[in-house]
Amino acid sequence: MPTPPRLLLVDDEERNLSLLEAYLAPLGCVLTRASGGQEALPAFEKERPDLILLDVVMPDLDGLDVLTHIRASEQGSRIPVILITGYTEREERVRGFEAGADEFLEKPVDRALLLARVRTL
């Protein structure tokens, strides 16, 4: 039996993490939460996720800083990262992609789009 994919969910708001978990639980993935950028980095090291869903705006360490740290590591260069944010400006998307994001989803997250992107990445 194959090992289920491991996803790291990073957001500073509990309700956003709960929503992501509710959307993703039916996929049978192992879901790990980090409630901010400071928790995300050790969780990344410990869990070795197959995919990361990462909020951009967080008070302690923002998502782009977390992404930069992840991409700087050997393992992190190969892990797909989906940035999630309330920003809709083109410049924010460009900054996210330049930092190494594989996908960019806007809040409120569209469930069907989220599931499609998680499955393909």
Side-chain angles (χ1 to χ4, degrees):
M1 179 177 226
T3 305
R6 295 176 320 276
L7 277 61
L8 175 59
L9 314 177
V10 184
D11 199 302
D12 60 314
E13 293 191 31
E14 174 67 27
R15 70 176 187 258
N16 292 336
L17 289 171
S18 295
L19 184 65
L20 288 173
E21 281 183 328
Y23 286 170
L24 297 167
L27 297 179
C29 301
V30 175
L31 304 174
T32 300
R33 290 174 164 227
S35 61
Q38 294 292 347
E39 282 186 25
L41 296 176
F44 164 74
E45 292 295 328
K46 180 180 178 217
E47 298 299 325
R48 301 289 186 197
D50 298 302
L51 175 72
I52 301 170
L53 287 99
L54 179 61
D55 184 25
V56 173
V57 180
M58 296 181 286
D60 57 349
L61 186 63
D62 78 20
L64 296 180
D65 290 333
V66 172
L67 180 56
T68 299
H69 286 294
I70 288 170
R71 290 294 186 234
S73 73
E74 184 178 335
Q75 182 212 1
S77 65
R78 298 181 302 272
I79 296 173
V81 175
I82 298 174
L83 291 178
I84 301 175
T85 187
Y87 288 130
T88 58
E89 293 84 16
R90 180 178 176 272
E91 294 78 23
E92 288 301 316
R93 286 179 176 269
V94 170
R95 285 183 58 224
F97 287 127
E98 286 176 344
D102 296 283
E103 182 59 85
F104 205 104
L105 298 177
E106 295 172 8
K107 292 179 183 177
V109 174
D110 178 285
R111 182 175 186 251
L113 186 57
L114 171 69
L115 294 176
R117 294 310 294 147
V118 166
R119 284 185 189 113
T120 59
L121 291 172

